[in-house]
Amino acid sequence: DETALEPLHTRLRVGDPPLMPSHCHLTMHRCPLPYDYGTQHSKYIVLQYATGIRFIIHTANPLVGTDDISVQAMWHQDFPLKDSLSPPSSDFEETFCDYVEQMKLPVAEQDLVIKAVRLHDFSSARAFLVPSVPGQHSGSALHKYGHMRLRHLLQQHLDVTSLPRAGTANHSRRGTLSSLFNASASKVKRDEAAGRSGQPQEHGSSTRGGSNPSEGAQQQQQPEGAAASSSSASCALRSEQGHEAVPEGIIVQPTSIGSLTSNWFFNDFGASLSAVKPPPLKVPLHNVKPLQPKPLSPDAAFVVWPSYEGIRSSVGGWRSGGNVHATAANMEKDGKFLFPLLHHFSGEAASRAECMPHMKSFCRFKGQQLAYVIVGSHNLSIAAWGGPPRKGSQGVLMIRSYELSVLMLPLLETAYR
C-alpha cells in the first residue's frame, strides 16, 4: 500500500529501530547517507527458494502504473545451492555480501541475508556486479566501487585483441548513427535538452526484459555477439579500409544527469568506460607502471536522452517526464560540452515507440556488436559513479549514493553456455 508506506518513509531516520507494520511482513531500514545529495537508489530483488536463489537487478521503481508508460530493463539469474564441487566463494558473492554490509542493516537482518547468499554457488554468474556505496574510498577499496570498479573489471576481462580491428580513417559522426538510434543523430536543441521553461522535463526509463546474458537484461533489441571496439581505448568512429564507415563508440543512456564537468566525463568516467585489458608484454619488464586508460574521445561518446517533443507526445504525456531529471544549469555547464553528444531516445526497436525510458544503460559498440552492456540503477552523475572529493585529489574516490548495476561481457556468456 503506497499510501501506508509513505508516512513511514518520511518519518524514518538513521538509527531508528526497524519498523514492522502489523499488517505485513516488512522491515524498513534507512541506510546511512553521510553526504548531501546522496540517496539509496539501488533497485534489486533477492528471492530465496528451497533449491536456489534468484537475483533480479532492474531499473524500475515500485510505483503502480509507471511500467505501463516506461521502458525498463531487468537482469536476472537463478543460482543453485553449493555442493561438494562448488568453489568456496566467488567475485559475485563477495561483492554482494560487502554491499549488504555497507548498508548497515540491523545485525539480525544482515546476518540473515548474508547467510542465505553464502549457501549458494555464484560461479556461473553471467554478469559482474558494479556497486556504489557512500564514502571516500582509497587504497584497496579504491577499485571496489563506482566507476573505478568498472575500470578494474574491464582491465581484467575485456580483451581488446579479441575484438574486431578498426581502420584508421576518421569519419563524421553525423548520419552514421541515424539507423542505429532510430532517430536524428544531429545535435539536440537547447530547449529539448534542458526542458523548456515552465514545462516538465523529459524522463528516461528502462527496457523491460533483459539482454540475455543472465536470463535477463532485455533492453532495446540488442544484437547478439561479442561487442567490438577499436584497439584504441578512445574508440572514435572509424571505418575498415575500403568498406563503408562502421559506427563505434560508447553509448551513455541515463534518466538523470547531475552536475558534471567535461574533465570528469571524458578523463575520469570516460576513461573507465573505455578501459580494456592491456596486451601481454612480449618481454617481461620490471618496475613498469601499468598503462592508464585513455580519455574518452568526444567523437566516440553518445548520450541518448529523451527530447521535449518525445515526452510531450508519449503515451504518458508530461507524466513521463517525472523521472527525467536534468536542470538547465547542469546541461549548460562547462561550455555546454554535453550538447554535441546528445541523441534522441527512441523505444521503437523494443516495440515501445511511444514510451519514454526510465532505464539506465551503458554500452560499448561497433556496428551491431557489443563489447559490454551495463544495466542497473546508475545514472550519469558523480554522486552515483564517484569522483575526486576535491579538485586535484588523487587516489581517492568519493561516492554519495548507493547504486547497484550489472556488467555483462561476452566472455561470461560464453563460459556459461
Side-chain angles (χ1 to χ4, degrees), residues 48-270:
Q48 185 181 14
Y49 300 93
T51 57
I53 196 168
R54 172 172 293 183
F55 270 70
I56 305 169
I57 296 171
H58 57 96
T59 63
N61 290 317
L63 298 174
V64 176
T66 56
D67 287 351
D68 297 333
I69 63 171
S70 302
V71 183
Q72 305 281 6
M74 176 178 67
W75 175 93
H76 62 91
Q77 183 174 350
D78 295 331
F79 299 96
L81 289 164
K82 287 179 178 175
D83 58 25
S84 59
L85 300 178
S86 300
S89 188
S90 64
D91 180 84
F92 192 102
E93 178 180 328
E94 295 302 323
T95 301
F96 184 75
C97 288
D98 175 75
Y99 179 78
V100 171
E101 292 173 353
Q102 297 299 323
M103 290 192 295
K104 307 301 180 186
L105 292 166
V107 175
E109 281 76 8
Q110 175 177 297
D111 291 348
L112 185 68
V113 173
I114 291 179
K115 182 179 179 180
V117 169
R118 292 203 179 280
L119 291 173
H120 297 84
D121 182 353
F122 297 94
S123 60
S124 63
R126 298 164 86 171
F128 288 108
L129 291 176
V130 182
S132 289
V133 299
Q136 297 194 30
H137 310 292
S138 60
S140 61
L142 180 62
H143 295 93
K144 291 176 66 175
Y145 310 112
H147 79 83
M148 293 301 290
R149 160 76 172 171
L150 173 62
R151 180 182 300 187
H152 176 73
L153 290 172
L154 293 178
Q155 288 176 329
Q156 293 291 316
H157 303 289
L158 183 57
D159 186 357
V160 72
T161 60
S162 67
L163 303 177
R165 295 180 60 84
T168 57
N170 287 323
H171 290 260
S172 169
R173 64 190 285 126
R174 282 202 171 89
T176 58
L177 291 177
S178 57
S179 60
L180 182 64
F181 290 127
N182 239 344
S184 169
S186 62
K187 181 167 62 177
V188 179
K189 295 179 180 178
R190 171 181 173 181
D191 62 348
E192 292 183 318
R196 294 180 182 171
S197 176
Q199 297 288 358
Q201 292 182 337
E202 307 132 66
H203 115 88
S205 64
S206 329
T207 290
R208 266 207 219 268
S211 130
N212 211 355
S214 172
E215 305 165 43
Q218 288 164 255
Q219 222 180 358
Q220 303 151 319
Q221 284 180 343
Q222 307 235 36
E224 295 182 1
S229 72
S230 76
S231 57
S232 167
S234 62
C235 71
L237 290 177
R238 303 181 186 276
S239 68
E240 301 289 351
Q241 193 170 16
H243 294 76
E244 184 180 353
V246 177
E248 64 178 289
I250 290 174
I251 298 174
V252 175
Q253 185 271 304
T255 57
S256 177
I257 297 178
S259 179
L260 312 176
T261 65
S262 59
N263 181 66
W264 178 85
F265 182 83
F266 293 113
N267 298 329
D268 295 341
F269 183 52

